[in-house]
Amino acid sequence: MKVVAFNGSARKGGNTAKLLNTALEELSLQGIDTELVELSGQPVSGCIACYQCFKNKDSRCAVEKDIINDCLAKMIAADGILLGSPTYFADVSAGMKALIERCGMVSRANGDLFKRKAGAGVVAVRRAGAYQVFNSLNAFFLIGQMIVVGSSYWNIGIGREPGEVANDEEGMKTMRDLGRNMAWLLEKIKAE
């Protein structure tokens, strides 16, 4: 089994990556392969509503100029998907929004490619606005008929400067619990 995580932060290796990696470490301890994809420094743009994905039905976005098709292939191959974003003006980052729009559209155009996969959103926040980000991430999973994995609290960690989120004991525990819960769910789905 495999879980792929996408870090939508502009800061490679920052707080969002720390939160995602904490959940991924727990998954690895349970014998699940993991991968972290950093969107930082990668040019990604939002959906242009060309609807070629509905016409082509090839599980790809017709816009080939960025990493979205690589991300789609990783999502299709994975059993679980984590989406992580910092809180930018009370919502997801622009890169994460582009990933959600394009991967979500291609998935729907091809019969819900991520249906019944496990998914969870992870949010880094300095102060406020995290719950809106959490909702935006979870909306991607829910409209795609995915199974949203919960934790011991909302999947949120608090920190501004890179690495500061490690000081949020409850946030870090929440990520460890999220990793364990996703591993448990994946085992149950596999047994079906």
Side-chain angles (χ1 to χ4, degrees):
M1 287 184 291
K2 182 164 185 177
V3 173
V4 63
F6 295 89
N7 179 10
S9 176
R11 289 179 172 172
K12 190 174 187 176
N15 288 321
T16 308
K18 176 69 175 163
L19 294 169
L20 288 167
N21 278 322
T22 301
L24 292 174
E25 287 166 13
E26 289 296 325
L27 286 155
S28 291
L29 289 173
Q30 301 298 319
I32 296 171
D33 292 331
T34 64
E35 180 181 2
L36 176 67
V37 177
E38 301 259 11
L39 299 182
S40 175
Q42 304 285 344
V44 291
S45 56
C47 181
I48 60 171
C50 68
Y51 290 96
Q52 289 300 302
C53 54
F54 281 88
K55 178 182 173 190
N56 297 337
K57 295 203 181 292
D58 59 359
S59 302
R60 296 181 59 79
C61 179
V63 178
E64 299 276 353
K65 65 181 181 177
D66 57 23
I67 64 165
I68 293 297
N69 281 318
D70 292 336
C71 294
L72 268 163
K74 291 175 187 293
M75 287 182 178
I76 292 166
D79 301 288
I81 300 168
L82 293 173
L83 298 181
S85 181
T87 304
Y88 289 170
F89 292 89
D91 216 329
V92 296
S93 67
M96 180 53 64
K97 181 63 173 161
L99 181 83
I100 286 170
E101 286 178 2
R102 300 212 2 240
C103 292
M105 187 69 90
V106 171
S107 173
R108 292 187 61 78
N110 289 272
D112 289 322
L113 294 170
F114 315 131
K115 184 177 184 176
R116 297 195 182 111
K117 291 180 185 273
V122 169
V123 182
V125 63
R126 179 189 70 85
R127 188 177 195 95
Y131 198 72
Q132 173 61 30
V133 178
F134 191 55
N135 285 338
S136 293
L137 296 171
N138 285 331
F140 170 80
F141 303 125
L142 293 169
I143 198 167
Q145 301 186 57
M146 293 178 67
I147 303 163
V148 178
V149 181
S151 188
S152 50
Y153 195 72
W154 311 123
N155 304 336
I156 295 166
I158 298 170
R160 180 179 179 179
E161 297 306 317
E164 195 173 72
V165 75
N167 298 326
D168 177 7
E169 291 179 26
E170 184 178 21
M172 297 307 290
K173 178 186 181 307
T174 300
M175 295 307 125
R176 289 188 298 273
D177 291 342
L178 174 62
R180 285 190 289 269
N181 289 347
M182 182 171 268
W184 178 88
L185 178 62
L186 290 173
E187 285 296 329
K188 297 296 182 190
I189 292 171
K190 180 183 173 186
E192 288 278 316

